Amino acid sequence: ASFAGLMLAAILRKGIFPAHSWVPNGLDQSPPALLMLLLNGHLGGFLVVRYAIPMMADVAGQALSLLSYLALFTALYAAFLALTEKRVRRILGFLSVSQASFVLAGLENRNTEGVTGALVHWFVVTTATTGLVCVYRALEARYPAVAEPNGYFGLATRTPRLATFFAICGLALVGLPGTLGFAAEDLLFHGSLESHPLLGLTLPIATALNGITIYRLFARLFLGRATVQTPAVPDALPGERWGLSAAVVFLVASGILPSALVALREPAAEHIVQLLTNR
């Protein structure tokens, strides 16, 4: 009963199906940057790895499979919903839910490679989704019409820095080679294929769908030809550049040299695997 209560808390906190709708609804109706910071604490995942598994390892070894499959279904379901959504805030919410579900799905791999990938992916989702939401919020404050795009705004010619930040954060989120997302998903996918072939095949499908959504969103906001109705919006301001540059540098530098961050998470992953497998 205690373990079930902890798992319910994790499902509600991380927005796992069927409790997934609060994330896009919250982003659509509240300050998105603040809600993303709250969501990207990933306290649901922390609850699992810090308390549920160490304190109730025997039960966790048997019951985590259900949580993993729920997270897997959430990743696919949210990816499909993002493809059909029109409001940008809700699209970003579904993207965040889909990619963040990889963390819980990977924790049940029972091998060091997969669990390490899930823990490293934790960093990727936190940094990349926060960067995406901050870029969008900067655009929305300058030009409210971007909230529900019906065409192509062509803002890349007027805000090239914001376009670059958005592209790098978005592509890192779906595993662009040369970013930390590639290293995290490579470990996660290989570990998943070793322990659960179905899981290992489904996660790349969800990632591919999210990649399509990222390109669709980038094209709507930044590509095309700016019309006469498009205002002369300013590019990234100095304060925005500092924060977004830090996120981009972290994602790219850690992707070029991922060994330090992987080595930092590997001991924790080994400990989790030992607890789950009773070794």
Side-chain angles (χ1 to χ4, degrees):
S2 300
F3 184 84
L6 290 175
M7 291 304 97
L8 179 61
I11 288 172
L12 294 173
R13 184 63 175 78
K14 285 189 66 65
I16 301 300
F17 181 88
H20 61 287
S21 59
W22 74 267
V23 178
N25 290 339
L27 282 173
D28 198 30
Q29 301 174 19
S30 64
L34 292 177
L35 184 63
M36 189 56 65
L37 289 174
L38 174 67
L39 181 66
N40 277 335
H42 291 289
L43 296 182
F46 182 80
L47 184 68
V48 173
V49 300
R50 185 64 180 83
Y51 293 100
I53 294 177
M55 295 174 62
M56 292 167 276
D58 292 339
V59 180
Q62 301 172 7
L64 270 183
S65 294
L66 175 60
L67 184 63
S68 178
Y69 286 122
L70 276 177
L72 175 63
F73 178 78
T74 303
L76 276 173
Y77 184 53
F80 278 111
L81 290 178
L83 287 173
T84 63
E85 187 57 59
K86 293 183 178 180
R87 290 187 57 83
V88 177
R89 287 191 180 202
R90 293 181 61 83
I91 292 173
L92 293 173
F94 285 125
L95 275 174
S96 177
V97 167
S98 180
Q99 291 295 119
S101 298
F102 288 15
V103 176
L104 287 183
L107 289 176
E108 205 268 326
N109 281 329
R110 302 171 191 264
N111 58 67
T112 303
E113 188 178 27
V115 177
T116 302
L119 295 178
V120 174
H121 189 65
W122 191 323
F123 289 104
V124 177
V125 174
T126 298
T127 307
T129 56
T130 301
L132 288 173
V133 168
C134 288
V135 171
Y136 168 71
R137 186 67 189 98
L139 290 175
E140 187 183 52
R142 294 159 168 79
Y143 187 26
V146 301
E148 195 168 352
N150 293 318
Y152 296 90
F153 291 109
L155 292 175
T157 57
R158 301 182 181 182
T159 59
R161 292 190 182 95
L162 288 176
T164 302
F165 290 137
F166 190 94
I168 294 176
C169 288
L171 293 174
L173 183 63
V174 293
L176 176 72
T179 66
L180 184 61
F182 178 77
E185 292 192 358
D186 182 61
L187 289 169
L188 180 57
F189 293 167
H190 278 87
S192 299
L193 282 171
E194 179 182 332
S195 60
H196 301 293
L198 177 62
L199 184 68
L201 290 173
T202 308
L203 289 178
I205 296 174
T207 301
L209 294 174
N210 289 331
I212 295 171
T213 299
I214 288 290
Y215 177 76
R216 167 174 163 255
L217 192 54
F218 180 83
R220 292 283 186 176
L221 295 175
F222 296 105
L223 299 185
R225 180 178 298 178
T227 64
V228 293
Q229 291 83 13
T230 304
V233 297
D235 202 357
L237 302 176
E240 296 166 345
R241 289 201 298 268
W242 279 109
L244 292 169
S245 294
V248 166
V249 168
F250 171 74
L251 291 170
V252 174
S254 300
I256 296 173
L257 297 171
S259 55
L261 194 57
V262 171
L264 180 66
R265 295 290 85 194
E266 195 168 11
E270 291 176 351
H271 182 61
I272 291 171
V273 172
Q274 288 174 0
L275 291 172
L276 290 176
T277 56
N278 296 316
R279 289 186 301 187

mmCIF file of all heavy atoms in Angstrom, residues 1 73 84 108 151 157 185 197 210 219 242:
data_model
loop_
_atom_site.group_PDB
_atom_site.id
_atom_site.type_symbol
_atom_site.label_atom_id
_atom_site.label_comp_id
_atom_site.label_asym_id
_atom_site.label_seq_id
_atom_site.Cartn_x
_atom_site.Cartn_y
_atom_site.Cartn_z
ATOM 1 N N ALA A 1 0.826 -1.204 0.000
ATOM 2 C CA ALA A 1 0.000 0.000 0.000
ATOM 3 C C ALA A 1 0.862 1.256 0.000
ATOM 4 O O ALA A 1 0.551 2.245 -0.668
ATOM 5 C CB ALA A 1 -0.928 -0.001 1.216
ATOM 6 N N PHE A 73 3.429 4.241 -22.675
ATOM 7 C CA PHE A 73 2.196 4.622 -23.355
ATOM 8 C C PHE A 73 2.028 6.141 -23.356
ATOM 9 O O PHE A 73 1.591 6.733 -24.358
ATOM 10 C CB PHE A 73 0.997 3.961 -22.673
ATOM 11 C CG PHE A 73 -0.326 4.337 -23.285
ATOM 12 C CD1 PHE A 73 -0.741 3.736 -24.468
ATOM 13 C CD2 PHE A 73 -1.139 5.284 -22.687
ATOM 14 C CE1 PHE A 73 -1.956 4.085 -25.050
ATOM 15 C CE2 PHE A 73 -2.355 5.642 -23.260
ATOM 16 C CZ PHE A 73 -2.756 5.039 -24.445
ATOM 17 N N THR A 84 -1.362 16.830 -33.287
ATOM 18 C CA THR A 84 -2.698 17.314 -33.646
ATOM 19 C C THR A 84 -3.038 18.650 -33.005
ATOM 20 O O THR A 84 -4.050 19.252 -33.363
ATOM 21 C CB THR A 84 -3.764 16.287 -33.228
ATOM 22 O OG1 THR A 84 -3.747 16.143 -31.798
ATOM 23 C CG2 THR A 84 -3.491 14.928 -33.846
ATOM 24 N N GLU A 108 13.322 1.195 -15.251
ATOM 25 C CA GLU A 108 12.981 -0.213 -15.031
ATOM 26 C C GLU A 108 13.787 -1.147 -15.935
ATOM 27 O O GLU A 108 13.524 -2.344 -15.999
ATOM 28 C CB GLU A 108 11.473 -0.394 -15.287
ATOM 29 C CG GLU A 108 10.833 -1.563 -14.572
ATOM 30 C CD GLU A 108 10.837 -2.829 -15.432
ATOM 31 O OE1 GLU A 108 10.713 -2.690 -16.657
ATOM 32 O OE2 GLU A 108 10.976 -3.927 -14.861
ATOM 33 N N GLY A 151 -0.357 30.307 -39.932
ATOM 34 C CA GLY A 151 0.524 30.341 -41.104
ATOM 35 C C GLY A 151 1.966 30.326 -40.659
ATOM 36 O O GLY A 151 2.299 29.811 -39.584
ATOM 37 N N THR A 157 14.212 35.930 -39.640
ATOM 38 C CA THR A 157 14.932 37.084 -40.187
ATOM 39 C C THR A 157 15.007 38.227 -39.187
ATOM 40 O O THR A 157 15.922 39.051 -39.260
ATOM 41 C CB THR A 157 14.248 37.573 -41.474
ATOM 42 O OG1 THR A 157 12.879 37.899 -41.185
ATOM 43 C CG2 THR A 157 14.296 36.487 -42.545
ATOM 44 N N GLU A 185 19.961 9.359 -25.135
ATOM 45 C CA GLU A 185 19.032 8.445 -25.800
ATOM 46 C C GLU A 185 19.745 7.223 -26.367
ATOM 47 O O GLU A 185 19.146 6.147 -26.448
ATOM 48 C CB GLU A 185 18.272 9.198 -26.886
ATOM 49 C CG GLU A 185 17.326 10.241 -26.306
ATOM 50 C CD GLU A 185 16.366 10.801 -27.329
ATOM 51 O OE1 GLU A 185 16.451 10.410 -28.508
ATOM 52 O OE2 GLU A 185 15.522 11.636 -26.943
ATOM 53 N N PRO A 197 12.771 -5.575 -25.459
ATOM 54 C CA PRO A 197 12.795 -5.207 -26.885
ATOM 55 C C PRO A 197 11.629 -4.322 -27.308
ATOM 56 O O PRO A 197 11.808 -3.399 -28.097
ATOM 57 C CB PRO A 197 12.751 -6.562 -27.591
ATOM 58 C CG PRO A 197 13.350 -7.516 -26.608
ATOM 59 C CD PRO A 197 12.923 -7.022 -25.254
ATOM 60 N N ASN A 210 8.085 13.246 -31.965
ATOM 61 C CA ASN A 210 8.392 14.524 -31.328
ATOM 62 C C ASN A 210 9.336 15.363 -32.190
ATOM 63 O O ASN A 210 9.250 16.597 -32.183
ATOM 64 C CB ASN A 210 9.011 14.287 -29.953
ATOM 65 C CG ASN A 210 7.996 13.771 -28.950
ATOM 66 O OD1 ASN A 210 6.814 14.059 -29.053
ATOM 67 N ND2 ASN A 210 8.452 12.990 -27.990
ATOM 68 N N ALA A 219 9.055 25.647 -37.920
ATOM 69 C CA ALA A 219 8.668 26.180 -39.227
ATOM 70 C C ALA A 219 7.566 27.220 -39.088
ATOM 71 O O ALA A 219 7.613 28.280 -39.742
ATOM 72 C CB ALA A 219 8.215 25.041 -40.138
ATOM 73 N N TRP A 242 21.924 35.587 -21.989
ATOM 74 C CA TRP A 242 22.767 34.927 -20.996
ATOM 75 C C TRP A 242 22.163 33.591 -20.560
ATOM 76 O O TRP A 242 22.846 32.565 -20.518
ATOM 77 C CB TRP A 242 22.963 35.839 -19.778
ATOM 78 C CG TRP A 242 24.010 36.881 -19.964
ATOM 79 C CD1 TRP A 242 23.807 38.228 -20.114
ATOM 80 C CD2 TRP A 242 25.421 36.684 -20.032
ATOM 81 N NE1 TRP A 242 24.994 38.882 -20.277
ATOM 82 C CE2 TRP A 242 26.010 37.954 -20.229
ATOM 83 C CE3 TRP A 242 26.245 35.580 -19.959
ATOM 84 C CZ2 TRP A 242 27.385 38.143 -20.344
ATOM 85 C CZ3 TRP A 242 27.626 35.759 -20.074
ATOM 86 C CH2 TRP A 242 28.175 37.012 -20.265
#
